[in-house]
DNA sequence: TATCCCTATCGTAAAATTACGATGAGCATG
DNA sequence: CATGCTCATCGTAATTTTACGATAGGGATA
């Protein structure tokens, strides 16, 4: 019986899955897909959560690479990170066959 | 500005993502896809983790509905829950467009 | 009936996640 | 230069996750 190794792909997929593992983050991404971009403040209005909580979720999504932020002082404009989005999409596709 | 509601689909997708949000669980599912089925003990040999830890991961996967267990005393045989697997696959597909 | 296998569950500790209010930093505008 | 707006970060508390060893239970076999 062979020892299972945890591949880079497994780790990456798990990291993406972790970013998606919260309903609010799913909803934020859905929102971003519809709107193509938005400011933090928009989400604070749309979601019944504190501003700091929204910011924290955005941070998680950025850490995973699924979104990117652009400074538009005094606001921050977020949008989907298309390149990584595609990578994630393909990893999930492969995973599910 | 409209209030975002968290739909059933969002919740279900987040739940599946949560189940996939750990490298070991990804690896277990990969293993199950290859072998089509396995016993808990197989995984204990294959992965460098305690038996109770493996059991806990299996429990998480079962809770999410991605696998199912069948008693084959004194063993337990696990396999992918095909129906839910397909549902998960489609949810991720839809999500990524 | 007693014993043996295998696995689930319990108890527990450390770490991570999630939420909030408060604070601080960055950059326009007055 | 001071003010105001927006957002990130800090500090913190409650909960959840992850890991382990130890224990319990279910069903064969002797």
């Amino acid at each position: 019986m062979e020892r299972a190794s945890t591949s880079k792909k497994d780790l990456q997929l798990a990291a993406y899955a972790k970013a998606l593992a919260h309903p609010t983050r799913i909803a934020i991404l859905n929102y971003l897909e519809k709107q193509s971009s938005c400011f933090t403040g928009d989400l604070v209005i749309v979601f019944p959560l504190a501003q700091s909580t929204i910011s924290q979720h955005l941070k998680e999504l950025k850490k995973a690479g699924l979104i990117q932020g652009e400074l538009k002082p005094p606001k921050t404009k977020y949008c989907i990170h298309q390149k990584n989005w595609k990578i994630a999409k393909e990893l999930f596709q492969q995973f599910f066959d």
Side-chain angles (χ1 to χ4, degrees), chain A:
Chain A
M1 189 111 41
E2 212 177 327
R3 287 249 153 199
S5 60
T6 310
S7 70
K8 282 264 167 64
K9 269 193 184 179
D10 288 356
L11 293 174
Q12 182 63 77
L13 182 56
Y16 283 134
K18 193 172 169 186
L20 301 181
H22 195 289
T24 297
R25 290 196 290 270
I26 294 283
I28 287 175
L29 291 169
N30 280 333
Y31 189 85
L32 272 177
E33 284 189 282
K34 260 200 212 132
Q35 309 291 323
S36 87
S37 80
C38 74
F39 300 108
T40 307
D42 300 342
L43 300 170
V44 174
I45 294 174
V46 168
F47 294 97
L49 290 169
Q51 180 266 323
S52 56
T53 304
I54 295 291
S55 208
Q56 219 168 347
H57 281 306
L58 289 170
K59 192 181 178 183
E60 282 302 304
L61 290 172
K62 206 166 70 177
K63 194 184 79 180
L66 291 175
I67 65 172
Q68 55 190 333
E70 183 190 352
L71 290 173
K72 293 268 187 181
K75 302 189 175 184
T76 309
K77 190 174 142 192
Y78 284 99
C79 63
I80 304 250
H81 190 304
Q82 295 299 339
K83 187 167 159 250
N84 290 342
W85 187 263
K86 200 179 163 206
I87 291 173
K89 173 183 177 162
E90 281 164 4
L91 280 177
F92 279 101
Q93 252 171 10
Q94 284 177 32
F95 177 72
F96 280 106
D97 279 349

